[in-house]
Amino acid sequence: MKAIVVHQYGGPDVLKFEDYPDPVAGPGDVLVRVAASSVNPIDYKRRAGLTKDFYPLHFPGLIGVDVSGTVVSTGPGVQGFAPGDRVFSIADNAYAELCLIKAENLAKVPDGLDLVEAAALPLVTVTGNQLLAATEITAGHTVMVVGAVGNVGRSAVFTAKSRGATVIAGVMQKQTREARTIGADQALATDDDTALAALPPVDAIADTVDGRTAESLIAKVRPGGIFASVLGAPANAAQYPAVKVVPVFSHFDRKTLEFMAAAVRDGKLVIPLGRRFPLSQAAEAQALAEKGGAGKILLVP
């Protein structure tokens, strides 16, 4: 098969479109012919060596976590999947023509959802859902989602509203107009000191940005409330012992992915799509993604 092969850590130029051995399905495995993958920050951070302490590459190696495609074959013991099934997942080694995935980590693409576009959804929608779940909010609670117009943030906003919560979209001033389109009850500019000072205490914060913004906002969580983040605890978290800080590490969950994907199909959740690149142009796609603001970029073998 053809795949994007990495021989050393570095910039986008280390992504090489080369021949690579075809994976073979073993016990519990499903072999998928990839319809598309998508570009996530974890992909280019891993390529650059920024995750080598906890998520290293073994050279020559493959990268890519989002995948959609059709089942080619199944290994011994697999039930519920058959050749031709349309599937998607948070996987590994997805920048390739074929991808091997454990059946327990695989879901079927809902009818009516485009197979290629489905590759944009697994990591960001599951992460957003699990980030919001970590805040433990329910109907009647107020939660601020920080970085709300990002794909993880949008997914967290949708999840919060599906639970009946009141949602404040925390965004940059230049994003407030866009924030009014994602289903939140109100938008607040986190780079507006006056607006931030006037914010009353909230039950929880779901954070996707970290840095100085997170350090400012943890002070806005009521005593006993929760500050959940996909980027770890704010640097000043120790100053707020009455706030429960919860780091969130996303993991595949079939029911969550199916729920979020159905919401996208039905128009209840919008994950903006950017350009589609041939898999051979993964270096160009990652370079564009690292600049930000390009929508979810798809790689199509």
Side-chain angles (χ1 to χ4, degrees), residues 258-273:
E258 291 172 344
F259 170 71
M260 300 299 280
V264 171
R265 178 199 60 194
D266 297 340
K268 299 175 182 178
L269 169 63
V270 176
I271 302 298
L273 298 179

Side-chain angles (χ1 to χ4, degrees), residues 124-155:
V124 296
T125 62
V126 169
T127 301
N129 181 285
Q130 292 175 349
L131 171 64
L132 194 284
T135 67
E136 301 178 12
I137 62 98
T138 57
H141 289 159
T142 298
V143 60
M144 172 181 272
V145 177
V146 189
V149 297
N151 294 318
V152 173
R154 288 167 178 263
S155 301

Side-chain angles (χ1 to χ4, degrees), residues 94-128:
Y95 285 16
E97 292 178 329
L98 296 169
C99 185
L100 203 59
I101 307 165
K102 289 294 183 184
E104 62 195 37
N105 294 331
L106 195 60
K108 292 181 180 179
V109 175
D111 291 341
L113 183 64
D114 181 85
L115 183 61
V116 170
E117 294 180 0
L121 306 182
L123 185 61
V124 296
T125 62
V126 169
T127 301

